Amino acid sequence: MSEQTIAELGEFALIDLVRGRLGTSDYVLVGPGDDAAHIATADGTYVTATDILVEGRHFRRDWSTAADIGRKAVAANLSDINAMGGVATALVVAFAAPGDTPVKWVADLIGGMVEECDKVGAKIVGGDMSAADQIVISITALGDAERPVTRSGAQVGDQVAYAGTLGLASAGYGALSRGFRSPKAAVDEHRAPHPPYAAGPAAAAGGATSMIDISDGLLADLGHVARASKVAIDLDPASFPILDAVQTVAGALGGVDPLRFVLAGGDDYALAATFPTSASLPEGWTRIGVVKAGEGVTVAGAPYEGGTGHKHWN
C-alpha cells in the first residue's frame, strides 16, 4: 500500500479505506457512504452533506459566470439532501481563491449561491476563507428529513424510476469542450443545473425504498444503489426520452450515441429511486427499469459498453 497512489487505488476504494478508520457513534444514524449523513441530536435529528468544486476540474471561469458557479456549487449540496428525501435548511461555505480575484466576481458568486438557496428556503449561515492558487468552493449543507431514504433499501421486484433531466448537462459539457456555445439548453444546464427539489421529499412520502442523486452518471450512481442494496438493476433503454439538444450535440460530435449522455453523463443532479412494485410513482417520476437478484447494473439485460460515468483521478 505504501507505494500505491490514490489514482491507482480509485475513488471508491479510497472511500472504503477512510470509512474503515472512522469508527462509530450512537449519534450517527446513517454515516459515510450515502448521499448525506443522518445525525441524532438531543432534540431531534438532521441530515448533512458536503461537496467541493475545484476550478479547472468542476468549472471554468471562461465557460460560466460567477453566478452560474455559485448556483452549481449550492445545487450539488442541496441535491444530496434532496436525495435523502429531505430539504436543506442551512449551508456553511468554505472559499479559497487567488488574491487577484476581482471582488465583483466573488459578490456575483454569492449572489448565485443565495439565488439557489432561495429555491428551497435555505440560508448560508457561516464559513471560512483562504488564499489559494485556484478557486476552491467547499459547501456543507444541513437539512431535515422526516424519513431519510438511503441507498441500501432496494428490494428485488422494485421498480426503478428517475425524476429531473438526464443527459443535458453532459451534452453541454461536450459542446463546450469542442468550443461550441450551443445548443443553449445543454450549455446552460452544464453551467447551472436545475435539480428537481420537490421530487426527493415526494419520493420519500411515496414509499421509495432507496434513492440517490445523479451527479456522476446514471449507471455509476445506480451502481452504488445496487452495491449498497446487494441487488442488480436492469434498465429499459426505450424508457428514456432523448432531448433535442442532446440529439444535436451527439450528432455534432460525430455521431455519438445520444443515450451515452443519458446513461453515463452527470451534473444534471436528477434523482433515481426504487419503489415497491405496487406503488404509484409520485408526480414527476418516470419508470426506467426493475430491481433483480444479482449484482451490478445492466441495460436491456446486458452490460453497457459506452462507459458508466465520471471517475475522479482518471
Side-chain angles (χ1 to χ4, degrees):
M1 178 184 296
S2 61
E3 300 299 324
Q4 189 178 34
T5 68
I6 59 175
E8 293 168 341
L9 181 63
E11 176 188 2
F12 302 113
L14 181 62
I15 291 172
D16 287 342
L17 185 153
V18 172
R19 288 174 63 186
R21 301 189 178 200
L22 296 182
T24 61
S25 166
D26 291 341
Y27 291 102
V28 181
L29 305 179
V30 176
D34 227 293
D35 286 278
H38 186 205
I39 310 298
T41 67
D43 58 355
T45 68
Y46 64 94
V47 288
T48 182
T50 192
D51 215 306
I52 189 169
L53 270 70
V54 178
E55 183 177 10
R57 183 71 177 180
H58 300 100
F59 66 87
R60 285 175 46 169
R61 282 188 272 174
D62 59 329
W63 285 3
S64 304
T65 67
D68 288 337
I69 295 165
R71 284 188 52 211
K72 185 172 185 176
V74 166
N77 287 269
L78 300 186
S79 184
D80 279 332
I81 303 298
N82 193 30
M84 299 294 288
V87 178
T89 56
L91 294 84
V92 290
V93 178
F95 173 75
D100 61 358
T101 304
V103 173
K104 184 182 185 305
W105 192 94
V106 179
D108 290 344
L109 176 80
I110 298 302
M113 289 182 175
V114 171
E115 179 184 347
E116 196 68 22
C117 284
D118 286 346
K119 294 179 180 180
V120 300
K123 297 296 181 184
I124 296 173
V125 297
D128 193 21
M129 295 184 180
S130 177
D133 294 333
Q134 60 191 10
I135 293 174
V136 179
I137 305 162
S138 180
I139 299 178
T140 297
L142 301 96
D144 293 322
E146 292 186 14
R147 185 181 76 86
V149 182
T150 68
R151 302 176 181 183
S152 59
Q155 301 291 318
V156 173
D158 281 355
Q159 51 189 323
V160 183
Y162 86 99
T165 300
L166 291 174
L168 201 56
S170 178
Y173 175 80
L176 287 164
S177 296
R178 297 296 182 92
F180 303 132
R181 293 296 185 266
S182 64
K184 188 175 186 299
V187 169
D188 285 353
E189 194 69 17
H190 169 75
R191 289 168 170 159
H194 296 81
Y197 292 128
T209 54
S210 69
M211 187 154 52
I212 192 169
D213 83 324
I214 311 303
S215 55
D216 291 333
L218 180 65
L219 294 178
D221 289 316
L222 280 178
H224 303 327
V225 172
R227 179 184 177 193
S229 299
K230 298 179 172 60
V231 296
I233 292 174
D234 186 51
L235 301 178
D236 175 11
S239 65
F240 295 100
I242 307 295
L243 299 176
D244 289 345
V246 175
Q247 296 270 21
T248 298
V249 173
L253 297 183
V256 173
D257 181 3
L259 189 61
R260 181 173 67 84
F261 292 116
V262 172
L263 296 178
D267 273 359
D268 284 306
Y269 298 98
L271 296 181
T274 57
F275 295 84
T277 186
S278 59
S280 297
L281 296 180
E283 183 179 356
W285 285 87
T286 300
R287 178 177 171 132
I288 55 174
V290 65
V291 179
K292 298 183 175 182
E295 61 182 28
V297 182
T298 54
V299 179
Y304 184 66
E305 300 298 331
T308 61
H310 174 75
K311 293 181 181 179
H312 298 291
W313 300 294
N314 231 13

